[in-house]
Amino acid sequence: MSILYLPILLLILALILGSVVVVLYAIGCDLCGKKFSLRLKIMTWLASALLGTVILLLLLAVISDGTGGIDVNPSISSRAELIGTYSDDDYHHTLTLNGDGTYTAQGLPYLTSGTWSQGNFVVALRNSGSINPTETFRLIRRNQDLCIAPDYYDQSDRSDIGILLPKRSPEPGPPVEATIEPPWFINANGVQGADGRIDLNLKGDEKLMVRYGHYSDSGVELELVRGATILWRKHVQRLGVPHSAYQHNVTATLDPQDSSIVRIQSVGFRTIEESRSLKDGRLISRVVRDNQ
């Protein structure tokens, strides 16, 4: 039954309860020989209806077991609010959304690990090893607690929330330290575009530098800097052929669905495609294929 009909149902039940009390009171007055005036009837009826409404609301609050606090269209303040571990001990299902855009899962069909992104009231999970490459899970709030519903179903004829995986309190762990690898380029010998960088804020003091040789098997150097400080430096491996036979083109862009991931494509005799965490340069995925 839709929650929209609940107030009407409560009013009807309260009126019925009030009428029953008035009838019983009237019968009692007749048996005792007392006069039961119209004014007394109205006051008794209203008082009974009010008391009945309060009693019914209390009963509903007791037996609802928290299901009355379900919000299937929750507001999410930021992507950071979603980061954490979701699990239901009864079903042994666990899903962890990491800050670098990756996830791990246990007990969920077809899902083990991959990348995730946020949509409208949903989390999209991408797993290259899955029968269904992308799974979409509904975001729900239960009594203000953020949950994920893997089996959420919503159609015009019926809807079903299914199991809920509430977000667990994060457990403190050691901080992730970014690695600054030795530089491959003493001078920026060949850079992407005019300045070889991706500006990450309006001030221009945080940028991702991209360095490579246009006509050499140089590999690709990625360096995230903030002002004069190097936050991390990582490298995409070389293609493995002289002069990249004979041209080397590189593109580096932020993932349009998840700006915390940078995607790099190094193209020559071979193609190397990598996804890396913008936070610390950690490798998320790599694909290597020959172009000949």
Side-chain angles (χ1 to χ4, degrees):
M1 177 178 293
S2 173
I3 194 172
L4 296 176
Y5 297 105
L6 184 58
I8 299 176
L9 177 61
L10 288 176
L11 179 60
I12 293 174
L13 292 177
L15 293 176
I16 293 174
L17 181 59
S19 301
V20 171
V21 172
V22 170
V23 171
L24 293 177
Y25 189 75
I27 293 175
C29 289
D30 290 338
L31 294 176
C32 297
K34 294 182 179 180
K35 186 177 180 181
F36 191 39
S37 64
L38 178 60
R39 182 179 179 182
L40 185 58
K41 289 180 181 179
I42 295 175
M43 292 179 63
T44 304
W45 184 76
L46 291 176
S48 302
L50 179 60
L51 179 61
T53 301
V54 173
I55 293 174
L56 289 172
L57 288 174
L58 290 175
L59 289 175
L60 285 173
V62 171
I63 67 176
S64 64
D65 193 26
T67 57
I70 293 292
D71 181 6
V72 297
N73 297 315
S75 61
I76 305 298
S77 59
S78 66
R79 181 178 179 276
E81 186 180 359
L82 301 179
I83 297 171
T85 297
Y86 302 76
S87 67
D88 187 337
D89 294 336
D90 294 337
Y91 290 86
H92 304 289
H93 295 159
T94 301
L95 174 65
T96 299
L97 304 180
N98 300 312
D100 60 2
T102 62
Y103 77 86
T104 56
Q106 292 181 346
L108 295 171
Y110 312 122
L111 294 175
T112 54
S113 62
T115 59
W116 67 276
S117 59
Q118 177 187 356
N120 291 329
F121 314 124
V122 298
V123 170
L125 306 173
R126 287 174 286 177
N127 186 356
S128 58
S130 171
I131 295 177
N132 301 315
T134 302
E135 298 283 344
T136 302
F137 289 170
R138 187 77 176 200
L139 292 168
I140 287 177
R141 286 196 189 276
R142 182 180 63 184
N143 297 330
Q144 302 304 315
D145 294 330
L146 189 60
C147 304
I148 285 179
D151 301 324
Y152 180 80
Y153 175 86
D154 186 15
Q155 295 294 335
S156 58
D157 56 340
R158 68 182 183 90
S159 62
D160 184 15
I161 294 177
I163 64 171
L164 286 178
L165 308 181
K167 185 179 180 181
R168 305 298 180 180
S169 299
E171 297 181 359
V176 177
E177 296 184 0
T179 302
I180 301 179
E181 297 177 351
W184 286 3
F185 298 88
I186 303 302
N187 297 313
N189 178 24
V191 297
Q192 178 191 357
D195 53 9
R197 71 185 188 193
I198 300 175
D199 289 318
L200 301 176
N201 59 24
L202 295 178
K203 296 180 181 179
D205 60 348
E206 184 168 305
K207 61 195 74 173
L208 179 66
M209 307 301 297
V210 183
R211 303 186 181 103
Y212 67 100
H214 284 289
Y215 299 100
S216 63
D217 192 15
S218 62
V220 183
E221 183 171 275
L222 304 170
E223 185 179 87
L224 183 65
V225 296
R226 181 181 296 141
T229 303
I230 299 175
L231 301 181
W232 57 261
R233 185 190 295 122
K234 297 283 187 177
H235 295 91
V236 179
Q237 68 187 48
R238 295 175 172 86
L239 298 177
V241 291
H243 306 294
S244 295
Y246 284 97
Q247 190 171 356
H248 183 204
N249 297 311
V250 175
T251 57
T253 58
L254 298 182
D255 189 316
Q257 296 181 340
D258 190 342
S259 59
S260 68
I261 297 176
V262 59
R263 299 194 180 278
I264 309 99
Q265 186 178 65
S266 176
V267 181
F269 183 81
R270 294 188 177 93
T271 294
I272 298 178
E273 295 177 345
E274 288 189 354
S275 297
R276 289 183 176 270
S277 166
L278 185 59
K279 178 181 179 181
D280 54 17
R282 183 174 61 85
L283 180 65
I284 297 174
S285 65
R286 173 187 287 146
V287 176
V288 182
R289 62 177 181 271
D290 290 335
N291 295 330
Q292 302 296 325

